[in-house]
Amino acid sequence: MFVKEVTVENQVGLHARPATFFIQKANEFKSSIWVEKEERRVNAKSLLGVLSLGIVGGTTIRIIADGADEQAAVDGLLKLVNSGFSE
């Protein structure tokens, strides 16, 4: 299991468009991946799950992966979040 925290910096957070990019990136990996905000954990490959967290700009989330490519999965998603989803 590999875990890292990241703060979502883009103003709008993970609304529909950035969440879609996030899920597409998560689906590139074989590992099971979750996103955690406070005490809630959802499947990072589920649009509804990610949107249900209500992640806004300035929110710190944890990205958790478990599987063969867990470190690559977390690092890839961190890079996407840190890029501000190109917005």
Side-chain angles (χ1 to χ4, degrees), residues 6-26 35 44 47 50-51 55-59 61 63 76-87:
V6 63
T7 301
V8 177
E9 297 294 341
N10 65 321
Q11 283 187 311
V12 293
L14 277 178
H15 67 85
R17 188 167 169 258
T20 300
F21 293 149
F22 188 87
I23 288 143
Q24 287 171 343
K25 180 56 110 177
V35 180
L47 181 60
V50 172
L51 289 175
I55 299 167
V56 295
T59 302
I61 59 171
I63 300 172
L77 289 166
L78 281 177
K79 186 175 177 183
L80 178 64
V81 171
N82 287 329
S83 77
F85 304 93
S86 303
E87 289 195 327

Side-chain angles (χ1 to χ4, degrees), residues 36-69:
E36 197 171 75
K37 175 188 162 196
E38 297 160 357
E39 299 300 315
R40 290 198 53 220
R41 180 185 287 190
V42 299
N43 182 344
K45 297 179 181 182
S46 163
L47 181 60
L48 217 52
V50 172
L51 289 175
S52 75
L53 290 177
I55 299 167
V56 295
T59 302
T60 299
I61 59 171
R62 293 176 72 200
I63 300 172
I64 305 155
D66 190 22
D69 54 0

